Amino acid sequence: MSTRTETVVVTTSRPTRVIAATTRIALGFVYLWAFLDKLFGLGIATPREGAVLAGTSASAGYLSHTEGALSGFFRALAGNPAVDALFMLGLGAVGLALVTGVCLRLAAVGGTLVMGGIYLSSLPLDNNPIVDDHLVYILVGWLLAAIGAGSFAGLGAWWQSQPVVRDHRWLF
């Protein structure tokens, strides 16, 4: 068994760290806002009567109206309680991880699943044949995890110093 420890932090200039931290928190807020708006129906994208807490499915509104190459698959998932739970868990957990700077590798995986599903459900894309904002969110999430951006104005350095995290690098 290896006793090697790894701390993921890229030494960069102060402006780069500030930009990375700001980007991490902003991306986290994208996920957290979607979670909170769907949960409570804050009236921006989700009306109060459409909230999860009002008994509405988190996925049915979007997935039941998908069109395109994979629409049959995604329409079949619409309103499934397991899909709703996983979607909400993904939005909330990824957002919280990014805002706090902990578990960025898991956040990158979760963000890939959440945004990757939305990306695939949107195919073919309207404005660009390959890239849309969901794909960019995925790439930015992986970049932030790769550079250890949780340590920039976040709890990442503390998190990585915890014994259980040091022993399980995938928790970085």
Side-chain angles (χ1 to χ4, degrees):
M1 180 170 217
S2 174
T3 59
R4 188 179 132 229
T5 61
E6 172 185 5
T7 301
V8 178
V9 176
V10 176
T11 304
T12 58
S13 66
R14 179 171 170 73
T16 303
R17 290 191 311 271
V18 169
I19 291 167
T22 305
T23 302
R24 187 194 82 239
I25 293 166
L27 183 58
F29 189 69
V30 167
Y31 286 92
L32 272 182
W33 180 260
F35 171 79
L36 294 170
D37 189 46
K38 287 203 166 298
L39 184 64
F40 296 109
L42 299 175
I44 305 298
T46 307
R48 188 165 304 280
E49 61 275 5
V52 169
L53 292 179
T56 303
S57 165
S59 67
Y62 174 75
L63 291 179
S64 62
H65 295 95
T66 57
E67 298 178 7
L70 301 173
S71 63
F73 172 75
F74 286 103
R75 286 182 182 204
L77 298 175
N80 181 310
V83 172
D84 289 345
L86 289 171
F87 180 61
M88 291 299 288
L89 176 65
L91 288 174
V94 171
L96 189 61
L98 286 166
V99 168
T100 61
V102 301
C103 281
L104 292 189
R105 289 180 180 176
L106 286 175
V109 171
T112 299
L113 294 173
V114 171
M115 292 298 169
I118 296 170
Y119 174 80
L120 291 174
S121 73
S122 302
L123 294 175
L125 303 174
D126 291 333
N127 298 317
N128 183 308
I130 300 167
V131 178
D132 78 346
D133 54 333
H134 301 97
L135 187 58
V136 173
Y137 292 155
I138 292 168
L139 295 171
V140 171
W142 281 104
L143 176 64
L144 293 169
I147 67 170
S151 298
F152 311 144
L155 301 174
W158 168 82
W159 177 254
Q160 292 176 24
S161 72
Q162 301 308 303
V164 68
V165 177
R166 281 194 318 258
D167 293 342
H168 300 92
R169 294 189 321 247
W170 56 272
L171 290 172
F172 276 20

